[in-house]
Amino acid sequence: MSDAVSPETVRVLLSSDPQCRELEARGWRVLAESWGARLRPSEEDLPRLGHLVTRARAHGYAVLELGPADAAEVAGLDGATREDYPRAGPATAHAPVDEAQAAAALSTGRGFGARDAEGALVAMSMTRSGGDRVETEFTAVHPDHRGAGLGTAVKAASVLAWWADGARVFGTGGAQTNPASMAINRAVGYTVTERWLTYAPGKAGSTS
């Protein structure tokens, strides 16, 4: 067996990695499951993505790009949705975002949001350029505004905006325990390309 696997550390591995069987044979347990997805839209996809945005607007929401001046609201919405993120492992963990961090993210990346009829920020998707692709950092929808297609709207808006600037490959991911996130990404057009397993020492069901 490989000495590269330390029994004192949590390990995140592709589900296809041979070390998965090694860890399981040594009694490690799967702490969490997550996935990564890619989207390579063509010009034919743009009208469909545009429809996802206009559908939200037809329900009375404004879908728009955010800027550093929106940082306080981004931090506030992040706080209101913090309990939505799984905490089982590092692959799905989400660090709380304060106003300064939100301002920095909006300066170096791009955020897209939806505002309700009163002007409150109720959905957002934060993105950044990851070299060969645009990565989604996180997407959040206020609990009181779910079911209106806002998650798909802000993600579609981000793809359209980045596409207009030349991006052609998009990446995202999520936890296996969050089917709503998977549904949003499938609606936008993402395809799961990889699955990850987070292992921790101890047998399945162990609390140690």
Side-chain angles (χ1 to χ4, degrees), residues 12 31-34 78 82 84-97 137-138 173-175 177 198:
V12 181
L31 188 66
E33 298 182 38
S34 56
D78 180 72
R82 197 162 297 159
D84 296 337
Y85 296 97
R87 301 180 181 179
T92 57
H94 172 70
V97 177
E137 295 284 276
F138 60 89
T177 56
T198 299

Side-chain angles (χ1 to χ4, degrees), residues 66-153:
L66 304 173
D70 301 304
E73 290 180 281
V74 168
L77 182 54
D78 180 72
T81 59
R82 197 162 297 159
E83 295 303 315
D84 296 337
Y85 296 97
R87 301 180 181 179
T92 57
H94 172 70
V97 177
D98 61 25
E99 185 174 350
Q101 291 168 326
L106 289 165
S107 296
T108 58
R110 301 176 75 174
F112 300 83
R115 295 185 178 278
D116 65 12
E118 285 71 45
L121 183 66
V122 295
M124 62 184 176
S125 188
M126 303 294 290
T127 64
R128 61 173 175 81
S129 175
D132 63 336
R133 61 183 178 268
V134 172
E135 287 283 357
T136 299
E137 295 284 276
F138 60 89
T139 301
V141 180
H142 193 282
D144 294 342
H145 294 267
R146 290 172 185 166
L150 299 184
T152 55

Side-chain angles (χ1 to χ4, degrees), residues 150-161:
L150 299 184
T152 55
V154 293
K155 291 208 77 165
S158 74
V159 172
L160 290 168

Side-chain angles (χ1 to χ4, degrees), residues 45-66:
D45 293 311
L46 302 185
R48 178 183 58 81
L49 294 168
H51 173 70
L52 295 175
V53 176
T54 57
R55 184 178 62 181
R57 288 172 175 158
H59 285 89
Y61 295 93
V63 180
L64 68 168
E65 185 162 0
L66 304 173

